[in-house]
Amino acid sequence: MASSFPNVSELVARARRLYGQVFGEEAPQVAVSAPGRVNLIGEHTDYNQGFVLPMALPLVTVVVGSQTSGQDVSLVTAAEDAGGPLRVDFSLPSDGSPLSPGLPSWANYVKGVIQHYRAPPVPGFRAVIASSVPLGGGLSSSASLEVAFYTFLQQLKPDDGDKVSKALACQQAEHTHAGVPCGIMDQFVSVLGREGHALLIDCRSLEATFVPLADPGLVILITNSNVKHSLTGSEYPTRRRQCEEAASILGKASLRDATMKDLDEARDRLDDVTYQRARHVIEEIERTVQAVETLKRGAYTEFGKLMVESHNSLRDLYEVSCKELDELVSAAMEVEGVFGSRMTVCSIPDQGRGILVLPTTTSSEKASQDHRNHNFTSKMLNLNSPDNNSNS
Ligand code: ADP
């Protein structure tokens, strides 16, 4: 990872300063953090009950705050690009009625988490958010915000601590309050992510397996193409519908259960486009399984080849790439030492922002230092000793 972003201690310091400016001298009692993520492989497989292989990033969202005596909530974000006022105040319904989404829209992620918190009712509180995850850049700033807030509420009023339920509650928050029908990947990896590991998630059983990824000679580079290429309005639902149609023609509950043999046998009952979409999904699920095997063996050349195949399939069969991304992938593959490159896409509407992931052989002392010194999981932070907030 490139390193021009603040670490957790710096974010906590920034949030504490802002807390002091907005709420007076009083210091916050609690600080928590949760990471953003990038998906290494397994694209458009989540809603087909397949596998995904994300990893948590050293980019995190931090929340600092304190419980208050009443039912009032005050939220402030340091993210100037969040849109709308950066402070919002509202009351928690005392009669148990739901918290409605509203404006500013960024606060809806928090309202959703309050609504779906698993040990209600939550007390009133004041909180400040500071994040190093770019907003709307495909690195799951929203999931890291939800998970950080859930972790914050756990400090005020503990739930049973079940991590899978925590991720599911945060996903629900995004569905009901942000109106985004996301899969489970982002919240899952933000809750469970572990330093030096990718996370294989089975989106059918919700089983999660850690895959070691800590070779000091390996660098993962994420590049923002700065091209806003959207799977807008109808395109994302259309892809989902095509997958469902293909599964139904094959007589399967989902494409997770289908093989290429099944698909080829049903070839004349599928139109060309539906066939192509299904082929991408079936092969991508298989590629993700293979990718895990290659990582376990340290076979990075094979892993990189799978990434490129994934990209080509997203370009040609699923048709969600664009020429700028294709160019970037080609350019990256011309660089000596690069194992693989591909676009990543969010599996939600309007978010097909282009980002590339490039594992390379180039050893970088700075990169591995950054890797050691950041948080890769949601956790409570020690406010009295900010230096203890790293994972080193
Ligand atoms: P992504 O999750 O990929 O970054 P989304 O569009 O799903 O992109 O979520 C981005 C939205 O999440 C922002 O527009 C904002 O509403 C909210 N958000 C994320 N992080 C913050 C933050 N630190 N402060 C306020 N809002 C945030």
Side-chain angles (χ1 to χ4, degrees), residues 216-231:
L218 195 66
V219 172
I220 295 171
L221 180 69
I222 302 171
T223 309
N224 190 345
S225 68
N226 288 315
V227 176
K228 187 148 188 183
H229 164 62
S230 302
L231 266 192

Side-chain angles (χ1 to χ4, degrees), residues 302-314:
E302 288 173 54
F303 183 86
K305 200 162 158 273
L306 292 166
M307 288 179 80
V308 175
E309 284 173 14
S310 169
H311 179 81
N312 293 345
S313 178
L314 288 162

Side-chain angles (χ1 to χ4, degrees), residues 219-292:
V219 172
I220 295 171
L221 180 69
I222 302 171
T223 309
N224 190 345
S225 68
N226 288 315
V227 176
K228 187 148 188 183
H229 164 62
S230 302
L231 266 192
T232 47
S234 64
E235 277 199 73
Y236 175 79
T238 304
R239 297 288 189 290
R240 286 190 77 139
R241 193 173 35 73
Q242 287 160 335
C243 293
E244 281 158 20
E245 252 173 53
S248 137
I249 291 170
L250 299 182
K252 308 286 182 189
S254 73
L255 287 176
R256 165 73 179 273
D257 297 318
T259 61
M260 276 308 295
K261 187 163 173 286
D262 296 328
L263 188 67
D264 284 332
E265 279 169 8
R267 180 74 187 85
D268 53 3
R269 286 183 283 137
L270 294 155
D271 64 74
D272 287 349
V273 172
T274 309
Y275 174 87
Q276 285 180 19
R277 306 294 191 245
R279 185 176 157 196
H280 164 78
V281 171
I282 294 169
E283 291 180 340
E284 182 79 355
I285 292 172
E286 179 53 29
R287 268 192 293 273
T288 307
V289 173
Q290 283 176 22
V292 171

Side-chain angles (χ1 to χ4, degrees), residues 56-300:
L57 296 173
L59 302 168
V60 296
T61 297
V62 158
V63 175
V64 305
S66 297
Q67 183 170 334
T68 53
S69 53
Q71 291 286 103
D72 296 331
V73 170
S74 297
L75 295 174
V76 175
T77 178
E80 285 174 9
D81 51 345
L86 302 181
R87 173 176 176 158
V88 62
D89 298 276
F90 56 91
S91 293
L92 298 166
S94 49
D95 58 358
S97 58
L99 255 181
S100 310
L103 290 172
S105 55
W106 62 265
N108 292 333
Y109 296 88
V110 179
K111 289 180 179 169
V113 170
I114 295 172
Q115 189 63 45
H116 294 282
Y117 188 63
R118 294 175 56 258
V122 301
F125 60 86
R126 293 164 163 176
V128 170
I129 306 157
S131 183
S132 55
V133 190
L135 271 60
L139 300 182
S140 284
S141 67
S142 51
S144 69
L145 175 60
E146 291 148 12
V147 174
F149 248 96
Y150 197 103
T151 311
F152 177 75
L153 295 180
Q154 285 176 307
Q155 314 314 311
L156 304 190
K157 183 153 188 273
D159 67 351
D160 62 10
D162 183 74
K163 291 186 171 178
V164 171
S165 306
K166 175 175 173 177
L168 288 168
C170 291
Q171 181 198 24
Q172 279 305 309
E174 185 139 349
H175 287 188
T176 61
H177 282 65
V180 180
C182 59
I184 189 60
M185 166 167 69
D186 305 348
Q187 291 80 8
F188 231 75
V189 66
S190 187
V191 170
L192 291 167
R194 189 186 284 172
E195 184 171 4
H197 294 79
L199 191 70
L200 176 70
I201 304 170
D202 180 336
C203 297
R204 181 163 61 185
S205 68
L206 298 187
E207 194 187 339
T209 314
F210 290 104
V211 183
L213 184 60
D215 188 327
L218 195 66
V219 172
I220 295 171
L221 180 69
I222 302 171
T223 309
N224 190 345
S225 68
N226 288 315
V227 176
K228 187 148 188 183
H229 164 62
S230 302
L231 266 192
T232 47
S234 64
E235 277 199 73
Y236 175 79
T238 304
R239 297 288 189 290
R240 286 190 77 139
R241 193 173 35 73
Q242 287 160 335
C243 293
E244 281 158 20
E245 252 173 53
S248 137
I249 291 170
L250 299 182
K252 308 286 182 189
S254 73
L255 287 176
R256 165 73 179 273
D257 297 318
T259 61
M260 276 308 295
K261 187 163 173 286
D262 296 328
L263 188 67
D264 284 332
E265 279 169 8
R267 180 74 187 85
D268 53 3
R269 286 183 283 137
L270 294 155
D271 64 74
D272 287 349
V273 172
T274 309
Y275 174 87
Q276 285 180 19
R277 306 294 191 245
R279 185 176 157 196
H280 164 78
V281 171
I282 294 169
E283 291 180 340
E284 182 79 355
I285 292 172
E286 179 53 29
R287 268 192 293 273
T288 307
V289 173
Q290 283 176 22
V292 171
E293 289 312 309
T294 62
L295 273 191
K296 284 183 181 160
R297 286 189 281 116
Y300 303 130

